[in-house]
Amino acid sequence: MRYLFDQYVFDTDRRELHRGPDAVPVAPQVFDILDYLIRNRERVVSKDDLMNAIWKGRIVSEAALTTRMNAARTAVGDCGEAQRLIKTIPRKGFRFVGAVREARTPNPLAAVHHQPETRTAALPLPDKPSIAVLPFVSLSSDPEQEYFADGIVEEITMALSRFRWLFVIARNSSFAYKGRVVDVKQVGRELGVRYVLEGSVRKAENRIRIAGQLIDAETGAHLWADRFDGSIEDMFDLQDNLTASVVGAIAPKLQREEIKRARRKPIESLDAHDHYLRGLAKIRWSNNANTEALQLFCKAIELDPRLACAYGMAAWCYVRRKANGWINNPVKEIAEATRLARKAVELGTDDPFALSVGGYALAFIAHEFDDAAAFVDRALAGNPNFAQAWSTSAWLRVWRGEPDLALEHSAYAMRLSPLDPPMYYNSQGAMAYAHFLASRYDAAASCAENALRSHTNFLLLTCISAASNTRAGRLERAQRSVLQALERNPDLHANLRNLAPFRRADDYANFEKALCEAGLSERHDAATP
């Protein structure tokens, strides 16, 4: 049976919905709801009717029912405000009120549907990394699981679209491949993308497992694969958690792949974004590498004066110069860093990366802590799956004297990106400082040691290790850390304020005193003429 209404053809035999010549992707359970409402359009359908017909009497929450009904309305171009086709009758139920014609003749779209596939001309790639999230395969006949799989894909697609440096194919285009065996190279050509994310969903008892893999659509090479498990007790929380895990894992991988591409390009063909990516690749804990990175970011700005992220990273280079005592002309360089940071947040009002990096630079260099917090909070609101913004926020909370928030944001950063080494030692470092501020010195020393195993030359980590061990009564260990810090920065005592810009005077005084008790002042005095 085919039902014709508005601009739609609803085919119950083929289980397809078309709007004009275009197929509309519909999750199986949403299709069943539409089918039931249309078949029973002469009466009001109660919630109990839907429960019995669609869920076979299983208990379903009000939120779940509302979500499915909203999806049904969306599929047919309706909404809860307009209710042109599906009307809610308060305290009674729902009714399909659109004018419907029934047709039993063969679907005129069927001939088009069964035409042999023709190879579509390849679309040009965008000027930034591009990705399509294909429908995940449900490894079960349970319609609820397939609906959940479709929801995961939709959430991942929306979450990825919040990364301003990514070009993400819309869900409706990706879902044209639902139920088809696809060649990712062909998908890449047809959608004009460089990367494809595909996956599957499997249910076992009260657990659900999501498996995903990221593929280079040009070569077919697998770049990343992982699986994520969760309890099915609250499917919507599980969906959010799995989305955050998948996005947090693949976003850093995508950026690393793009950096590799930029480094392989001949210098004469580099555009602004390529210079920016090469600058990211140069970021290291040495003065020379930091200077090279700054030059590349400045070149990116020259080629594209509105590239907010390049301003942010140029400011970040000055953050490192200040933190490591590499600044030659403090007044001039701090003014330039502040200018770059302000330009980053001004141009990047909707760019979470520019907001978080530029905002942090304003705090660390210019001590504009309140403005910095506002910009970083805006970055987190714009992209709550951006692990680097959470880590940056954690350090900002340390300098503002908010240890509980610093711990919370550090833990979330590591949860979003658990396999990224820089994310680990940066977040562990922020946690060490947060525990120090809260007078939990054993915990602070433990976090610092964990981070130092991954990054032995991180001066901030060496200092907090020394200060924490001093306060925990392990003076000999603290003294060894101070000696290591002085080897890297003989003028450490003179530069300590630049290294650790605590907003609260008491926080800085405790930090400085602990380091001096471990030998910092004596070493500095001995090295001073």
Side-chain angles (χ1 to χ4, degrees):
M1 176 66 72
R2 290 186 303 118
Y3 297 98
L4 286 66
F5 56 90
D6 204 33
Q7 303 174 54
Y8 293 86
V9 177
F10 187 81
D11 191 326
T12 58
D13 296 328
R14 304 184 63 85
R15 291 186 66 82
E16 292 176 349
L17 175 65
H18 285 82
R19 184 178 186 273
D22 300 321
V24 178
V26 185
Q29 201 168 70
V30 175
F31 189 96
D32 292 339
I33 290 174
L34 285 170
D35 186 10
Y36 190 79
L37 289 173
I38 294 171
R39 288 180 190 274
N40 294 278
R41 59 190 179 278
E42 300 302 326
R43 66 181 179 89
V44 175
V45 171
S46 70
K47 292 180 181 179
D48 288 341
D49 291 336
L50 284 173
M51 297 291 186
N52 291 327
I54 310 302
W55 284 276
K56 311 304 180 187
R58 284 183 294 162
I59 302 299
V60 179
S61 68
E62 286 283 335
L65 178 59
T66 300
T67 299
R68 271 70 164 178
M69 193 59 64
N70 288 341
R73 285 192 170 109
T74 300
V76 294
D78 199 3
C79 65
E81 290 76 26
Q83 297 190 18
R84 293 183 307 105
L85 299 176
I86 301 175
K87 188 174 182 61
T88 299
I89 312 300
R91 296 182 296 280
K92 297 293 184 182
F94 310 92
R95 185 182 168 205
F96 193 92
V97 295
V100 177
R101 289 190 299 114
E102 296 184 5
R104 298 182 182 276
T105 54
N107 187 349
L109 292 170
V112 176
H113 185 83
H114 281 96
Q115 283 180 351
E117 289 188 12
T118 57
R119 184 171 296 276
T120 305
L123 291 175
L125 291 173
D127 58 359
K128 55 184 176 179
S130 47
I131 186 171
V133 185
L134 295 183
F136 282 16
V137 177
S138 175
L139 304 178
S140 167
S141 58
D142 182 0
E144 182 77 11
Q145 187 172 320
E146 185 162 353
Y147 181 85
F148 177 80
D150 291 345
I152 280 283
V153 171
E154 186 168 3
E155 292 292 328
I156 291 172
T157 301
M158 288 191 296
L160 286 173
S161 68
R162 291 176 171 175
F163 290 88
R164 304 297 298 175
W165 50 272
L166 266 178
F167 180 90
V168 183
I169 292 295
R171 172 193 183 277
N172 284 355
S173 294
S174 295
F175 267 69
Y177 297 91
K178 185 174 175 65
R180 292 168 50 185
V181 177
V182 298
D183 174 1
V184 292
K185 293 183 180 180
Q186 183 179 344
V187 171
R189 289 192 299 269
E190 292 177 350
L191 295 181
V193 295
R194 188 171 290 158
Y195 304 102
V196 170
L197 178 68
E198 61 180 17
S200 62
V201 178
R202 182 190 299 275
K203 176 183 174 185
E205 296 179 350
N206 67 333
R207 306 284 295 176
I208 278 188
R209 169 170 293 173
I210 299 285
Q213 52 187 358
L214 181 67
I215 303 170
D216 187 319
E218 292 179 314
T219 65
H222 286 64
L223 304 175
W224 166 89
D226 206 346
R227 64 188 187 193
F228 306 90
D229 298 286
S231 170
I232 202 171
E233 292 175 358
D234 191 331
M235 293 186 68
F236 291 101
D237 285 346
L238 174 60
Q239 185 168 293
D240 290 342
N241 293 337
L242 290 173
T243 297
S245 298
V246 173
V247 173
I250 68 174
K253 182 65 180 176
L254 283 170
Q255 191 164 65
R256 286 193 290 270
E257 289 299 318
E258 287 300 302
I259 289 172
K260 290 179 186 177
R261 289 178 184 273
R263 294 174 76 174
R264 290 196 296 264
K265 285 186 177 182
I267 191 72
E268 61 273 10
S269 69
L270 297 181
D271 60 15
H273 191 68
D274 291 327
H275 279 89
Y276 168 75
L277 290 173
R278 284 198 173 192
L280 291 181
K282 285 289 183 181
I283 289 291
R284 295 289 185 274
W285 291 97
S286 74
N287 193 0
N288 289 339
N290 193 70
T291 300
E292 287 183 57
L294 178 58
Q295 292 169 349
L296 286 162
F297 294 133
C298 289
K299 181 63 176 178
I301 291 169
E302 179 186 329
L303 292 171
D304 183 356
R306 299 196 62 79
L307 190 59
C309 56
Y311 287 97
M313 285 308 299
W316 188 264
C317 288
Y318 282 105
V319 167
R320 288 191 165 175
R321 287 175 65 79
K322 185 181 179 187
N324 288 282
W326 299 333
I327 284 183
N328 298 318
N329 187 331
V331 174
K332 181 180 178 181
E333 293 191 32
I334 288 174
E336 175 63 4
T338 304
R339 182 190 73 83
L340 290 165
R342 289 215 163 274
K343 197 69 175 176
V345 297
E346 174 190 329
L347 293 173
T349 54
D350 61 348
D351 183 342
F353 182 86
L355 288 169
S356 62
V357 175
Y360 182 83
L362 288 175
F364 194 88
I365 290 177
H367 296 178
E368 297 178 7
F369 296 103
D370 293 335
D371 283 352
F375 292 128
V376 172
D377 286 345
R378 191 192 303 171
L380 296 175
N383 188 351
N385 299 293
F386 188 18
Q388 186 173 337
W390 286 101
S391 180
T392 300
S393 178
W395 280 102
L396 172 61
R397 310 303 164 178
V398 165
W399 307 135
R400 280 168 57 92
E402 300 167 322
D404 291 341
L405 268 180
L407 288 170
E408 179 184 328
H409 292 192
S410 295
Y412 198 65
M414 288 192 293
R415 177 177 171 272
L416 285 172
S417 189
L419 301 179
D420 185 10
M423 187 61 59
Y424 177 79
Y425 62 69
N426 268 305
S427 297
Q428 283 282 331
M431 293 174 78
Y433 274 85
H435 283 303
F436 183 86
L437 294 182
S439 302
R440 294 187 287 266
Y441 301 118
D442 285 329
S446 176
C447 287
E449 289 167 10
N450 289 339
L452 283 167
R453 292 190 188 100
S454 301
H455 199 311
T456 57
N457 295 321
F458 196 163
L459 187 57
L460 269 172
L461 292 178
T462 307
C463 289
I464 196 60
S465 175
S468 301
N469 278 308
T470 298
R471 289 289 174 258
R474 294 182 285 270
L475 191 58
E476 185 176 342
R477 187 179 299 180
Q479 290 170 336
R480 288 199 300 270
S481 294
V482 166
L483 289 174
Q484 292 169 0
L486 286 167
E487 287 175 5
R488 298 186 193 109
N489 190 335
D491 295 326
L492 178 60
H493 193 274
N495 293 324
L496 195 58
R497 262 291 183 189
N498 289 334
L499 182 71
F502 292 103
R503 183 182 202 174
R504 300 187 309 197
D506 289 348
D507 292 338
Y508 178 77
N510 186 29
F511 180 66
E512 180 188 37
K513 186 176 180 182
L515 289 173
C516 289
E517 289 173 9
L520 176 61
S521 57
E522 288 84 350
R523 293 287 302 181
H524 174 70
D525 293 343
T528 303

